Amino acid sequence: MTIRRGESWGEAVTDPGDLVDVDDDAALAALVVAGDRRSLRLRGGDVLQTLGGPAPGPERQRFSLDVLRITADGRALVAAAHVVARDAASRGWRGPIVAIMNVDRIGRWDVAPPAHPNDGRADVVEVDEAMALRARWQARRRLPSGTHVPHPAIRTARVTARTWRFETPLGLWVDGVRHGGVRSLDLHVEPDAVFVHT
């Protein structure tokens, strides 16, 4: 059941003893795609960072997570943490940028501060193609603290489903893994898709 405002989230459980270690967000998404229902323990990635890192001691924290199901030019993909479409040639500092976030972080950057991985929605951060290079660098410096928003050239939204069409192909990264270029991107959030332990 997705979290509601003011509710606690996650539960302390005894270590099941048969936990399968998951090293990163892409590996977690691959297990979701495979329909793996084993007990999963996160060992790395942006989902684990959002959940506060590994649980100390003999108990584990168990969480229900949403996933992002996307269709990119007809290819079905799943993300546990985030999807990014941007100009692949410029390292992301020219042209439009679309970040679809299930969690707040990409590495050390707090891209979508209000994002929660079990609220049934994705947080979308879009950088306008016309945003000046100097403003982009200023926003980049503010990314670690999450203070790059609000900004007039950066739009944010919380969605359960959405479609994007790009005039020219953008590079596509799903949980940090490159998936070529994309012109058409469809998103659907799947609530409570998987349970994980920290």
Side-chain angles (χ1 to χ4, degrees):
M1 175 123 160
T2 55
I3 192 168
R4 290 183 172 77
R5 186 181 299 272
E7 289 182 348
S8 61
W9 179 55
E11 60 181 330
V13 297
T14 304
D15 191 326
D18 61 348
L19 292 170
V20 175
D21 288 341
V22 180
D23 292 329
D24 58 35
D25 303 318
L28 174 57
L31 290 172
V32 171
V33 169
D36 196 320
R37 295 294 177 216
R38 294 178 290 175
S39 296
L40 307 176
R41 175 174 47 198
L42 301 178
R43 304 296 284 185
D46 294 324
V47 173
L48 179 62
Q49 289 284 19
T50 294
L51 298 179
E59 284 195 332
R60 297 280 165 226
Q61 288 292 317
R62 182 176 185 250
F63 299 94
S64 176
L65 299 179
D66 306 336
V67 296
L68 309 175
R69 292 202 177 264
I70 62 167
T71 305
D73 292 342
R75 297 170 287 162
L77 300 167
V78 171
H82 38 69
V83 176
V84 177
R86 64 173 175 79
D87 182 347
S90 70
R91 299 181 55 86
W93 300 114
R94 286 189 309 216
I97 301 171
V98 176
I100 306 165
M101 306 294 295
N102 193 36
V103 299
D104 57 346
R105 312 201 70 76
I106 298 177
R108 63 182 192 85
W109 292 345
D110 191 0
V111 176
H116 190 288
N118 191 230
D119 63 1
R121 293 175 284 191
D123 285 61
V124 177
V125 179
E126 294 182 84
V127 177
D128 192 292
E129 183 172 9
M131 186 177 187
L133 187 58
R134 180 177 177 170
R136 287 174 188 259
W137 282 107
Q138 290 170 339
R140 183 182 188 275
R141 282 199 312 270
R142 294 180 180 145
L143 273 167
S145 63
T147 56
H148 58 292
V149 287
H151 188 285
I154 301 175
R155 295 178 305 280
T156 60
R158 306 189 82 212
V159 301
T160 57
R162 186 147 170 205
T163 297
W164 291 265
R165 301 291 180 257
F166 308 115
E167 288 183 25
T168 58
L170 295 180
L172 180 68
W173 285 261
V174 178
D175 287 338
V177 177
R178 176 78 189 268
H179 286 272
V182 63
R183 293 182 76 107
S184 171
L185 189 59
D186 297 292
L187 163 73
H188 174 75
V189 179
E190 181 183 343
D192 299 320
V194 65
F195 283 99
V196 297
H197 297 76
T198 62

